[in-house]
Amino acid sequence: MSVQILQEIAQTRRSLYVLNKDLPISQDEVKQIVEHALKYTPSSFNSQSTRMVVLFGAEHEKLWDIAISELRKIVPADKFEPTENKLNMFKAAAGSVLFFEDQEVIKGLQNQFPAYAANFPIWAEHANAMNQYTIWTTLSAAAVGANLQHYNPVIDAEVAKTWNIPANWTLRAQLVFGGMGAPAGEKSFASIEERMKVFGA
C-alpha cells in the first residue's frame, strides 16, 4: 500500500454522528478490525495494557440506555431533552467499541521500573489513543461511519456491572459505529506553519 493511499484513508476519517444499523461490512469483519488493532498497535514497553469490549445490536443499545439513565440523574430535567436526543443518535448506530486500560498491567510496570513510574499511566493513554485511531481509521476505510465519545466516568459503574468488567479495567472512551446516514460537516484547519517546526532541512 502506498503512502498516498494511507494518507487518503486518514483524510476520510471524520466524526459522523448520523449513523444507522446498516453496516456495509459484517460483524465478523468489524471484530477482525478490532482484533487486528489490539494485536498490532504499539504500546510502551510492549505493555499491551489496552482492553476492549465490542457491543452489537441490543447490547450496544443497552450501553446508551445506561448513559441516558445515568445522565438523567445529573442533568436538570428541563435541560435533559437535548442530551437525550444526542444519546439516542448514538443508540441508533450499529455498535460501540469500549476502550479500557488494565491498571494492574500499569501498576506492574511501575513496580518493575520505578524510575519511570509517573510516566506509565501517560504512556498507557498514548497506546489507548493509538488503538482508537487505528480502529476508527480502518472502519472509515471500510465505509463504516464512527464518532468517539467519553461518557466515562459517569457510566463506569453500570457498564462494569452489566458486562462483568474486571475491577482493574478503567473505561477511557466509547467509539460508536454504524452505517453512514449523513456526511460529515465542513472541517477547518489551523495553520500548519503555526503548529509545526522543522530544523536541519
Side-chain angles (χ1 to χ4, degrees):
M1 183 177 285
S2 70
V3 169
Q4 288 76 20
I5 292 173
L6 281 170
Q7 290 176 331
E8 287 170 9
I9 291 171
Q11 286 175 223
T12 68
R13 187 224 48 80
R14 295 290 307 281
S15 293
L16 295 169
Y17 296 102
V18 182
L19 302 173
N20 56 51
K21 301 188 186 304
D22 299 323
L23 279 174
I25 61 176
S26 69
Q27 291 183 352
D28 282 343
E29 288 172 299
V30 172
K31 288 189 288 183
Q32 190 279 330
I33 286 170
V34 174
E35 289 171 3
H36 189 274
L38 193 56
K39 183 173 182 178
Y40 291 106
T41 300
S43 57
S44 177
F45 286 66
N46 196 29
S47 66
Q48 302 176 62
S49 59
T50 299
R51 305 287 182 262
M52 297 183 202
V53 171
V54 185
L55 305 173
F56 293 103
E59 295 298 309
H60 155 79
E61 293 183 1
K62 194 182 298 182
L63 171 70
W64 297 105
D65 284 337
I66 288 171
I68 290 170
S69 176
E70 294 304 306
L71 283 163
R72 197 184 297 277
K73 298 173 184 177
I74 59 176
V75 177
D78 61 338
K79 297 179 181 178
F80 189 68
E81 186 178 358
T83 297
E84 186 172 21
N85 291 340
K86 183 178 181 181
L87 295 170
N88 277 325
M89 286 180 64
F90 305 146
K91 184 178 176 179
S96 298
V97 182
L98 309 185
F99 296 85
F100 299 83
E101 279 299 310
D102 189 333
Q103 300 303 315
E104 287 301 315
V105 173
I106 296 168
K107 290 174 184 175
L109 287 166
Q110 289 176 313
N111 292 333
Q112 188 176 357
F113 303 100
Y116 303 112
N119 287 320
F120 282 115
I122 299 169
W123 293 336
E125 297 298 320
H126 295 172
N128 203 290
M130 285 191 282
N131 271 282
Q132 295 166 28
Y133 179 78
T134 299
I135 293 170
W136 192 353
T137 304
T138 309
L139 287 173
S140 180
V144 177
N147 61 79
L148 191 67
Q149 301 301 317
H150 301 88
Y151 284 94
N152 42 289
V154 176
I155 63 173
D156 289 19
E158 284 301 313
V159 165
K161 183 167 67 175
T162 301
W163 289 286
N164 195 28
I165 304 299
N168 47 297
W169 290 21
T170 302
L171 183 60
R172 307 312 299 148
Q174 307 87 49
L175 184 70
V176 186
F177 62 86
M180 299 181 189
E186 291 296 318
K187 183 175 183 178
S188 61
F189 295 91
S191 167
I192 292 296
E193 289 76 13
E194 295 176 2
R195 300 168 60 196
M196 177 178 172
K197 297 182 184 294
V198 178
F199 301 94

